[in-house]
Amino acid sequence: MSGTLLHPRLETYIETVCAQVKNREAHKLIREDINGHFTDALEDELERGWNEEEAVLRAIERLGQPEELGRSFHLIHQRRVDWPAIMCLAMLSFLGILVTIGNMRDMPFGQHDTMPWNTIAGVALGLGLGAAVFFANPRHIQKMWPLLLFGTAVLMLVTLVVGSSSRPFWGPKSLDGFDVFTMSPYLLALGLAGALSCERWKSHWRAWLLVFTVALMQILFALDGSPVLIVADIMLFVALVRHREVLWRFAVVAVPALVLGVRMTLIRLPLRYVVERFTIAFHAGTAPESIGYENYQTQLLVQNAGWFGHGMGGHPFLLAGSHGVFAFAELINLFGWSAGAVLAGVVIWLIARLWKRGMTLSQPFAYQSFLCLMTLLSFQLIYPMMIGLGVFPIIGVKMPFVSGGPLPTILALSSFGWLLNLLKRTEYRYQRAVEM
């Protein structure tokens, strides 16, 4: 509570009210709310000519019975778990295991025995981390934002310098087998949310430091050649474009343009090839054996699946590529168009539900972290479905849950745990003051 209480009687009254409210994090808001109403009532009573002691008693009496008021506040600030969303996540996790098992034949040699177990382990670990994050105190995470933002940038730089790659000259690098760049956008989302929710980091030298950090992250993604570059770009664009400062507009417009130029120069790709690579999905049939092969095969797979698919073990088509990228097409091949429609409906419903609820958040860090992470998750879930239909350019972004890859699933479940943690805290819908 800000300020000092005007009278000991009010302190006793507030303690009685707060004793009825189990959500302790809401007590500060309740104390401020009651004190504000008390101050208005006290001024009104003093204007009526009552002495201070009598005015205090009358002002407190106007607030109502403390037990009844406390029960009302308890109902308002009671934590509400989004069970429908949790059930959707559990269903997606189970479906991902089925799709992985059903497509073992399509997997590269040596992954037939390990991929299903990796998928199960990823789901189990993701659920565990998601539950841990769900019960964590967001204030502890908020205090760590400088480490999350600048520490992740350093980790990316170290990976780029000493990491290993499966490609001799160009390709995503890992640090001792760990995919740092796939994990980075999620850590950067929390770090960026902490910076943007802190007023003193929006101006002067601190703002420039953030801009240069954003530029560094972009250049590191470009040098690594990671497909998550576009995912990070979208998250950064959504997070920064809302700010009216010229400096943030510079970060949004100039930095991606610079990175695009650096990337084009380093990998020496002609512009015509880049344009064709991103438009071939719309006319894959004109180059079914060259640049349009993967899109064309994906379209054939989906078109011949039927309403109920070919079942487990039925594979009339074989996709040459990553199981994770084409997981949605393989789902349709197994269970048909009906299953694809159900999965798409569940995903869209879940995303729309969380977006609608998240827009009510008013606590700065909660809102910014929701905006960043929900942008990442929405793209990670929807874009691979379009790839699976063969109508969007293939950029190597794996769909969480269904892809079978443990890391995307772990990151998605942990992020959803964080989002559901924020949404259950009703006090974050009323706290409008910028913290820190």
Side-chain angles (χ1 to χ4, degrees):
M1 175 184 162
S2 60
T4 304
L5 291 175
L6 300 177
H7 199 278
R9 290 181 180 274
L10 180 60
E11 180 68 45
T12 303
Y13 180 90
I14 291 178
E15 292 297 334
T16 304
V17 172
C18 290
Q20 310 297 318
V21 182
K22 294 182 179 180
N23 183 0
R24 294 185 176 276
E25 293 190 22
H27 287 184
K28 180 180 178 180
L29 296 175
I30 293 173
R31 293 171 69 89
E32 293 175 348
D33 187 25
I34 294 177
N35 189 42
H37 287 291
F38 170 80
T39 302
D40 294 338
L42 179 62
E43 293 177 355
D44 187 31
E45 294 297 335
L46 289 174
E47 290 178 357
R48 294 181 179 181
W50 297 102
N51 60 47
E52 182 176 349
E53 186 67 23
E54 186 65 25
V56 167
L57 294 175
R58 288 178 172 273
I60 293 177
E61 184 178 352
R62 288 172 59 175
L63 296 176
Q65 292 297 321
E67 292 82 4
E68 182 179 348
L69 182 61
R71 287 191 290 269
S72 299
F73 274 121
H74 173 70
L75 293 176
I76 293 175
H77 293 287
Q78 187 176 13
R79 300 278 169 79
R80 294 176 176 84
V81 179
D82 194 340
W83 288 110
I86 292 177
M87 295 300 295
C88 285
L89 295 175
M91 186 196 76
L92 291 174
S93 301
F94 177 73
L95 189 59
I97 296 174
L98 286 183
V99 173
T100 303
I101 295 175
N103 286 282
M104 287 190 293
R105 177 175 176 266
D106 289 355
M107 296 177 190
F109 180 77
Q111 295 186 14
H112 298 76
D113 297 328
T114 59
M115 180 64 81
W117 291 110
N118 289 341
T119 302
I120 295 173
V123 169
L125 184 57
L127 290 174
L129 290 176
V133 173
F134 179 78
F135 291 106
N137 188 336
R139 296 182 185 277
H140 297 329
I141 306 296
Q142 181 177 1
K143 294 177 181 178
M144 296 171 58
W145 77 258
L147 176 63
L148 292 172
L149 183 62
F150 301 114
T152 302
V154 172
L155 186 61
M156 292 166 61
L157 180 61
V158 171
T159 303
L160 188 64
V161 174
V162 301
S164 58
S165 176
S166 58
R167 303 179 189 176
F169 302 105
W170 185 266
K173 292 187 176 182
S174 62
L175 191 62
D176 290 332
F178 188 74
D179 192 352
V180 172
F181 280 81
T182 296
M183 178 187 66
S184 296
Y186 295 87
L187 298 179
L188 295 173
L190 295 176
L192 187 64
L196 295 180
S197 62
C198 182
E199 284 295 328
R200 60 178 181 161
W201 278 84
K202 294 182 182 179
S203 59
H204 307 301
W205 65 270
R206 293 184 178 88
W208 280 106
L209 178 59
L210 287 179
V211 169
F212 286 129
T213 302
V214 171
L216 174 63
M217 293 184 299
Q218 292 279 67
I219 293 173
L220 291 177
F221 273 118
L223 294 175
D224 177 74
S226 174
V228 297
L229 170 65
I230 188 171
V231 182
D233 279 342
I234 293 174
M235 182 267 292
L236 290 170
F237 179 81
V238 172
L240 298 179
V241 77
R242 296 183 63 260
H243 293 269
R244 299 179 179 179
E245 290 86 348
V246 175
L247 191 59
W248 295 114
R249 291 180 180 177
F250 167 80
V252 171
V253 177
V255 172
L258 172 65
V259 170
L260 180 61
V262 170
R263 183 168 184 144
M264 293 289 291
T265 302
L266 289 175
I267 61 180
R268 300 178 182 177
L269 284 181
L271 181 60
R272 185 182 65 179
Y273 175 82
V274 175
V275 172
E276 183 66 15
R277 189 71 181 86
F278 280 89
T279 58
I280 190 62
F282 304 106
H283 56 92
T286 60
E289 297 180 356
S290 56
I291 193 173
Y293 175 79
E294 291 180 330
N295 288 107
Y296 183 69
Q297 293 296 319
T298 305
Q299 292 168 6
L300 287 179
L301 184 75
V302 172
Q303 292 169 5
N304 290 272
W307 281 106
F308 303 103
H310 302 284
M312 302 287 281
H315 299 264
F317 293 90
L318 182 65
L319 283 176
S322 170
H323 159 60
V325 176
F326 303 102
F328 187 68
E330 293 172 338
L331 166 75
I332 296 177
N333 175 61
L334 286 173
F335 307 113
W337 302 331
S338 56
V342 170
L343 176 64
V346 170
V347 168
I348 293 173
W349 177 87
L350 176 64
I351 291 174
R353 178 183 179 87
L354 295 183
W355 271 113
K356 181 179 180 180
R357 297 191 62 199
M359 290 300 98
T360 64
L361 294 170
S362 56
Q363 199 267 2
F365 177 69
Y367 176 76
Q368 291 292 347
S369 60
F370 176 90
L371 186 68
C372 292
L373 285 177
M374 199 61 204
T375 300
L376 288 175
L377 291 169
S378 298
F379 184 84
Q380 288 277 72
L381 288 171
I382 293 178
Y383 192 90
M385 289 196 296
M386 298 295 100
I387 293 179
L389 296 177
V391 296
F392 269 31
I394 298 171
I395 59 174
V397 177
K398 295 184 178 181
M399 184 177 183
F401 307 110
V402 184
S403 70
L407 185 57
T409 300
I410 292 172
L411 293 173
L413 286 172
S414 301
S415 300
F416 276 119
W418 172 259
L419 298 179
L420 294 176
N421 184 352
L422 299 177
L423 294 177
K424 76 177 181 180
R425 299 174 181 272
T426 54
E427 66 272 15
Y428 282 177
R429 301 176 188 174
Y430 303 97
Q431 187 174 345
R432 299 185 181 276
V434 175
E435 298 183 355
M436 298 179 62

